[in-house]
Amino acid sequence: MKDVAARAGVGLKTVSRVVNGEPGVTPDTERKVQEAIDALGFRRNDSARVLRKGRTSSVGLVLEDLADPFYGPLSRAVEEVARAHGALLINGSSAEDPDREQELVLALCARRVDGLIVIPAGDDHRYLEPEIKAGIATVFVDRPAGGISADVVLSDSFGGARDGVAHLIAHGHRRIGFIGDQPRIHTAQERLRGYRTAMEDAGLPVDERWISLGSTEPGRVGPVVEKLLTGPEPVTALFAGNNRVTVTAVRMLARRETPVALVGFDDIELADLLGITVIAQDAAALGRTAAERLFRRLDGVADEPARVELATRLLTRGSGEVPPAPGTR
Amino acid sequence: MKDVAARAGVGLKTVSRVVNGEPGVTPDTERKVQEAIDALGFRRNDSARVLRKGRTSSVGLVLEDLADPFYGPLSRAVEEVARAHGALLINGSSAEDPDREQELVLALCARRVDGLIVIPAGDDHRYLEPEIKAGIATVFVDRPAGGISADVVLSDSFGGARDGVAHLIAHGHRRIGFIGDQPRIHTAQERLRGYRTAMEDAGLPVDERWISLGSTEPGRVGPVVEKLLTGPEPVTALFAGNNRVTVTAVRMLARRETPVALVGFDDIELADLLGITVIAQDAAALGRTAAERLFRRLDGVADEPARVELATRLLTRGSGEVPPAPGTR
DNA sequence: CTGAAAGCGCTAACAT
DNA sequence: ATGTTAGCGCTTTCAG
């Protein structure tokens, strides 16, 4: 910038004015400066600007895995809101590892992102307290924060799962399996609670062997499905706790001759063609809502941290409307 | 940092040394400094560090749409490589708009990202020349750069499409439709070239009405599929130029009674269950390869810009092995 | 082993 | 309308 000023024969501040489109420069001077800028290929260094202004115009998004089809749309929705506010988005994947989540979050704080959207992997976020106090607005999505009070935007996991299981019950099922994510994950707990509530509301007993929480790897889920469907009293329907579980369940069920009903949490591309009934949550809406809350905070709105819960939708496509196979009831 | 130094009763530089784990500090002094850091909740401000060091330890990735299942894994792969090199990843979606691509790229350059990975939306990247000259390493992925010489990592679109179409021909098809992306997109051109080559190699004539390039919106692709399959001489097979086209084609074909063969470019989740034959490209490998090239450059390797082409794989699952319906041949 | 001074490139505040 | 000065928070350099 100094070079530009020298070349244009003007003061430093005048260049700054031109670069930032500030008023108070004669068209003639502006032209001279512009020429110097072009000749030198000058481009403002935002690092210096950030240091001076104290704002980076960037927000961080820490999620579990950007390769998961659930998070792509979420991230994109956040990006769109950020863009509307002139901010860039720094993404990071925690790989469901609490330590990595913390490492990422703190790295983003060191960069002084203006705000942070976090899909928690861990359940203790007290490490964020000083950062939030220092002015980094933070919104949690998909799962609540642990140990601190902060904005959080969730899908109604409990209600969605309850409705999905009630749907299976309405189609005549009494023995329903539940396969969910790691028990430490909040949504897994909530969905299981929805399952139990639906069963209880219908006056049905729950055999604990029908319930399995853990990794969503096909290597774990596959054998679980197998086990639930064999033995003297197999389940006649399955509730899959998330998209990855659903995919594995569909693969397993496709190989069997006896039809087994299935409802999955999360929608999946092409699920309509495969006739998979799901509880759909709107990942983009989740991201958009969280981002809007974040920027409201950045704009200085300082009300109490709120908990927003987005409704889910039951999409009936066939797999959830299969009645129990004759003789298994 | 000044505050920490004051509180610990040491010099500024000593604090800096402790924060950065540099040698030359007595354990005792280090402890004092550490205490002050904890007490004050100090966190190094990377903005200032960046300004001084001239390196941001961040790379930018400009792609088309993070919500597209093809780009999620690509972005994640880039992130992993970046992480291994201690860098953060700033993502941006161009929405297939050349102006927005440029805007994003320049914004990232102003932030002084160390490097840039770009999936081009436009076909003229001369605007990047001064930036590259100024030291911002750049690698193009998925499509080549226009007007400048730079590293580029591609999938073998031509070969993949040629093999896919040859596969349909091998199963007896002579009238094959091709539905692709916008003609200005390089991969669309290459895949069409593959189609033409396969037809020519088999000595088959190509009716230009079998070919349709344009938006991949279902609203455009749907009617095109419909049109190709009606009339006196309908095509008996379709080659879909990318994942979105394939999805729409599958939806359309599911409604028909006469079987139509289909091979799609790009793999799709659950395509195995639906029996969709595809030419699969490895999005993660694309991202990883590009990122590795980028960091090699950042490490100072300065060889000639190279063009890397990754092989595709034909995954036969049923839809591509359907023979022409009797009487249509 | 430790610290003081200079300066990265920009902008805010205050002259002129 | 334009220029000057100070300083954002850190690292580099060089001196103790």
Side-chain angles (χ1 to χ4, degrees):
Chain A
M1 199 170 220
K2 209 171 47 187
D3 298 345
V4 174
R7 175 159 185 141
V10 300
L12 202 57
K13 181 62 203 177
T14 304
V15 179
S16 173
R17 284 196 182 90
V18 172
V19 169
N20 296 302
E22 285 168 28
V25 183
T26 22
D28 191 53
T29 319
E30 176 164 355
R31 198 185 35 71
K32 272 197 315 204
V33 173
Q34 199 53 253
E35 270 169 17
I37 286 175
D38 294 342
L40 270 53
F42 167 83
R43 207 81 72 181
R44 181 180 65 197
N45 182 333
D46 275 356
S47 304
R49 172 170 232 250
V50 155
L51 180 58
R52 191 65 237 246
K53 300 200 91 149
R55 274 217 160 195
T56 53
S57 294
S58 62
V59 296
L61 170 61
V62 176
L63 36 70
E64 196 226 309
D65 179 4
L66 206 40
D68 183 319
F70 179 72
Y71 294 112
L74 193 157
S75 174
R76 177 69 202 275
V78 171
E79 185 196 339
E80 286 306 313
V81 177
R83 181 178 142 85
H85 289 262
L88 287 176
L89 180 62
I90 305 180
N91 271 99
S93 299
S94 69
E96 205 64 272
D97 172 352
D99 292 338
R100 190 160 156 183
E101 171 206 305
Q102 179 169 348
E103 180 197 310
L104 262 169
V105 165
L106 292 180
L108 290 167
C109 289
R111 300 273 166 128
R112 296 292 192 270
V113 291
D114 296 336
L116 213 45
I117 296 181
V118 180
I119 294 167
D123 45 16
D124 182 359
H125 298 91
R126 278 172 302 183
Y127 70 86
L128 255 170
E129 225 154 34
E131 312 294 340
I132 292 175
K133 203 166 292 169
I136 298 187
T138 306
V139 176
F140 290 81
V141 190
D142 194 41
R143 307 167 192 169
I148 62 171
S149 142
D151 280 315
V152 51
V153 180
L154 306 170
S155 276
D156 181 11
S157 282
F158 167 74
R162 187 195 52 207
D163 295 352
V165 174
H167 183 72
L168 289 167
I169 295 170
H171 283 272
H173 296 275
R174 301 175 48 84
R175 293 196 306 280
I176 303 174
F178 179 96
I179 308 178
D181 211 328
Q182 311 275 15
R184 61 178 173 74
I185 298 177
H186 179 259
T187 52
Q189 294 163 22
E190 283 294 289
R191 290 170 199 178
L192 177 56
R193 196 163 68 80
Y195 164 86
R196 288 191 192 281
T197 302
M199 294 294 274
E200 194 174 320
D201 286 354
L204 294 176
V206 172
D207 186 329
E208 293 301 318
R209 286 170 301 181
W210 298 342
I211 297 170
S212 170
L213 298 186
S215 151
T216 58
E217 298 283 306
R220 185 192 79 92
V221 174
V224 168
V225 172
E226 198 54 46
K227 198 166 131 260
L228 287 171
L229 299 177
T230 46
E233 284 221 316
V235 302
T236 65
L238 283 176
F239 188 84
N242 79 7
N243 54 355
R244 277 177 297 215
V245 175
T246 306
V247 168
T248 302
V250 169
R251 290 221 164 86
M252 299 295 296
L253 298 184
R255 294 190 208 150
R256 307 183 66 86
E257 67 299 351
T258 330
V260 173
L262 173 70
V263 172
F265 210 110
D266 295 336
D267 201 2
I268 302 177
E269 173 137 51
L270 297 184
D272 56 333
L273 285 176
L274 286 161
I276 308 173
T277 294
V278 299
I279 305 295
Q281 49 176 331
D282 189 340
L286 228 39
R288 197 180 325 113
T289 308
E292 276 160 3
R293 273 210 91 73
L294 183 68
F295 281 100
R296 252 172 32 109
R297 290 250 180 253
L298 293 181
D299 289 345
V301 178
D303 45 13
E304 284 297 292
R307 177 196 181 94
V308 179
E309 212 158 88
L310 269 50
T312 58
R313 282 180 314 148
L314 171 69
L315 304 179
T316 60
R317 292 172 175 151
S319 76
E321 294 74 52
V322 177
T328 61
R329 188 165 182 178
Chain B
M1 202 169 219
K2 209 171 46 186
D3 298 346
V4 174
R7 173 155 185 146
V10 299
L12 202 55
K13 180 59 205 178
T14 303
V15 178
S16 175
R17 285 199 181 90
V18 172
V19 169
N20 295 303
E22 285 167 28
V25 183
T26 13
D28 191 52
T29 319
E30 177 164 356
R31 197 183 36 72
K32 272 197 316 204
V33 172
Q34 200 50 257
E35 269 169 19
I37 287 176
D38 294 343
L40 269 52
F42 167 83
R43 208 81 72 182
R44 181 179 66 197
N45 182 335
D46 275 355
S47 306
R49 170 168 236 247
V50 156
L51 180 58
R52 194 61 238 252
K53 300 201 91 150
R55 275 217 159 192
T56 54
S57 295
S58 61
V59 297
L61 171 61
V62 176
L63 36 71
E64 197 227 311
D65 179 4
L66 205 41
D68 184 320
F70 179 71
Y71 295 112
L74 194 156
S75 174
R76 178 67 202 275
V78 171
E79 185 197 337
E80 287 306 316
V81 177
R83 180 178 142 84
H85 290 260
L88 286 176
L89 180 61
I90 305 181
N91 272 98
S93 298
S94 69
E96 204 65 271
D97 173 351
D99 292 339
R100 190 161 156 183
E101 171 206 305
Q102 180 170 347
E103 181 196 308
L104 262 170
V105 165
L106 292 180
L108 290 167
C109 289
R111 299 272 166 132
R112 297 291 192 272
V113 291
D114 297 335
L116 213 43
I117 295 181
V118 180
I119 294 166
D123 45 16
D124 182 359
H125 298 92
R126 279 172 301 184
Y127 70 86
L128 255 170
E129 224 153 32
E131 311 296 340
I132 291 175
K133 204 168 292 169
I136 297 189
T138 306
V139 176
F140 290 82
V141 189
D142 194 41
R143 308 166 192 170
I148 61 171
S149 141
D151 281 315
V152 50
V153 179
L154 306 169
S155 276
D156 180 12
S157 282
F158 167 74
R162 188 196 51 209
D163 295 351
V165 174
H167 183 72
L168 289 167
I169 295 170
H171 283 272
H173 297 275
R174 301 176 49 86
R175 296 196 304 282
I176 303 173
F178 179 96
I179 308 177
D181 212 328
Q182 311 274 12
R184 61 176 174 73
I185 297 177
H186 178 261
T187 51
Q189 295 164 22
E190 283 294 289
R191 290 168 199 180
L192 176 56
R193 197 162 67 79
Y195 164 86
R196 288 193 192 280
T197 301
M199 295 295 274
E200 195 174 316
D201 287 353
L204 294 174
V206 171
D207 186 328
E208 291 302 318
R209 286 170 302 182
W210 298 343
I211 296 170
S212 171
L213 298 187
S215 152
T216 57
E217 297 284 304
R220 184 192 78 91
V221 174
V224 168
V225 172
E226 198 55 45
K227 198 166 130 262
L228 286 171
L229 298 179
T230 46
E233 283 221 318
V235 300
T236 64
L238 284 175
F239 188 85
N242 79 7
N243 54 356
R244 276 178 298 217
V245 175
T246 306
V247 168
T248 302
V250 170
R251 289 222 165 84
M252 301 294 296
L253 297 185
R255 294 190 206 148
R256 307 183 66 85
E257 68 299 348
T258 332
V260 174
L262 172 70
V263 172
F265 209 108
D266 295 337
D267 201 2
I268 301 176
E269 172 135 52
L270 296 186
D272 56 333
L273 286 177
L274 286 160
I276 309 172
T277 294
V278 299
I279 305 295
Q281 49 176 330
D282 189 341
L286 229 39
R288 199 179 324 114
T289 308
E292 276 160 3
R293 273 209 92 72
L294 183 69
F295 281 100
R296 251 172 33 112
R297 291 250 178 255
L298 293 181
D299 289 345
V301 179
D303 45 14
E304 284 296 292
R307 177 196 180 94
V308 178
E309 213 158 86
L310 269 50
T312 58
R313 281 180 314 148
L314 171 69
L315 304 178
T316 60
R317 293 171 175 151
S319 75
E321 294 75 53
V322 177
T328 61
R329 186 162 181 180

